[in-house]
């Protein structure tokens, strides 16, 4: 499973890029709205810091408007992937964009049927939102597993991006459920490194080393 960063914050992207574990970024209008700069400034900066797919979402909700925005965004950098919500006009746009070799990430997916429709329209990526399903008392990771199984069973080409990840347990669960990609907030990525026994282990290695060094100097 590949790891993407789910953020529009360029500083977070730079830090995560330095750790060498991230190979893509997803953004959405809510994430972009948290930043001071315009999205037209942010998107090229993201593309300059990560060599991999960068999802940028359309705002238009009609076919022609989506195509216009999608072509503009895709024209900004070769790695831009267009994010479009799963809806009839959206999937119509996915089909047209796929014919133009513009990759689309179909977003706000909450059922296997929506994922099937997205795959049939030619989506390169499908993003089920597991945290938001958990929020309403369903089990998001089960949806991710079911979509991956459906894609495999029917030999479809789309990759599944587990999105709306809220904590490290979500990441390991979707890795075991077979997601192709998990897109994680920066805070969750930081938490994934942490284990109290790792911290204790490092502390002990260093203190043992210092004791030995001190004994040699005597
Ligand atoms: O990738 C989608 C994600 O940004 C949504 O997360 O936490 O707003 O449900 P959340």
């Amino acid at each position: 499973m590949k790891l993407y960063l789910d953020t529009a914050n360029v500083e977070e992207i730079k830090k995560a890029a330095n750790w060498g574990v991230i190979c893509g970024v997803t953004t959405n209008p809510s994430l972009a709205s948290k930043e001071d700069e315009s999205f037209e400034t942010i998107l090229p900066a993201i593309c300059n810091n990560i060599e991999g797919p960068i999802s940028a979402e359309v705002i238009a909700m009609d076919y022609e408007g989506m195509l216009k925005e999608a072509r503009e965004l895709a024209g900004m950098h070769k790695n831009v992937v267009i994010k479009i919500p799963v809806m009839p006009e959206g999937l119509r746009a996915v089909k047209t964009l796929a014919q133009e070799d513009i990759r689309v990430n179909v977003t706000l997916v909450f059922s296997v049927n929506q994922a099937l429709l997205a795959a049939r329209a030619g989506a390169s990526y499908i993003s089920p939102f597991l945290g938001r399903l958990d929020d309403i008392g369903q089990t998001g990771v089960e949806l991710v597993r079911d979509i991956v199984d459906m894609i495999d069973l029917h030999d479809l080409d789309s990759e599944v991006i587990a999105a709306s990840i809220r904590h490290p347990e979500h990441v390991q669960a979707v890795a075991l459920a077979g997601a192709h990609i998990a897109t994680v907030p920066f805070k969750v990525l930081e938490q994934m490194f942490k284990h109290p026994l790792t911290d204790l282990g490092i502390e002990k290695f260093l203190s043992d080393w210092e004791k030995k060094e001190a004994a040699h100097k005597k």
Side-chain angles (χ1 to χ4, degrees), residues 49-196:
N49 281 285
I50 291 277
E51 181 56 44
I54 313 296
S55 289
E57 191 156 338
V58 297
I59 304 299
M61 289 293 124
D62 63 294
Y63 172 74
E64 292 298 344
M66 285 182 192
L67 287 186
K68 183 172 178 292
E69 284 180 26
R71 288 171 183 143
E72 278 167 15
L73 289 165
M76 290 174 79
H77 194 280
K78 66 178 171 48
N79 288 344
V80 171
V81 170
I82 306 306
K83 221 171 170 189
I84 294 185
V86 61
M87 53 194 279
E89 288 283 280
L91 295 191
R92 192 178 155 212
V94 173
K95 179 102 190 158
T96 303
L97 293 167
Q99 284 163 350
E100 296 174 18
D101 286 330
I102 295 177
R103 291 173 296 168
V104 180
N105 173 359
V106 173
T107 189
L108 289 167
V109 169
F110 293 98
S111 73
V112 173
N113 278 341
Q114 289 178 326
L116 175 61
L117 291 168
R120 295 266 54 123
S124 297
Y125 304 96
I126 297 172
S127 292
F129 275 33
L130 64 156
R132 292 191 194 184
L133 269 185
D134 290 357
D135 290 345
I136 60 160
Q138 296 184 26
T139 310
V141 70
E142 280 172 15
L143 174 66
V144 173
R145 185 178 293 110
D146 287 347
I147 293 175
V148 170
D149 287 351
M150 184 273 291
I151 298 273
D152 286 349
L153 186 62
H154 297 288
D155 204 17
L156 299 168
D157 292 329
S158 317
E159 287 190 275
V160 176
I161 304 182
S164 182
I165 283 194
R166 305 277 174 75
H167 47 71
E169 173 57 25
H170 268 156
V171 184
Q172 51 198 40
V174 298
L176 294 170
H180 305 101
I181 299 152
T183 187
V184 300
F186 184 73
K187 180 173 152 248
V188 174
L189 184 67
E190 283 184 313
Q191 289 170 328
M192 286 169 65
F193 282 92
K194 296 278 177 201
H195 195 286

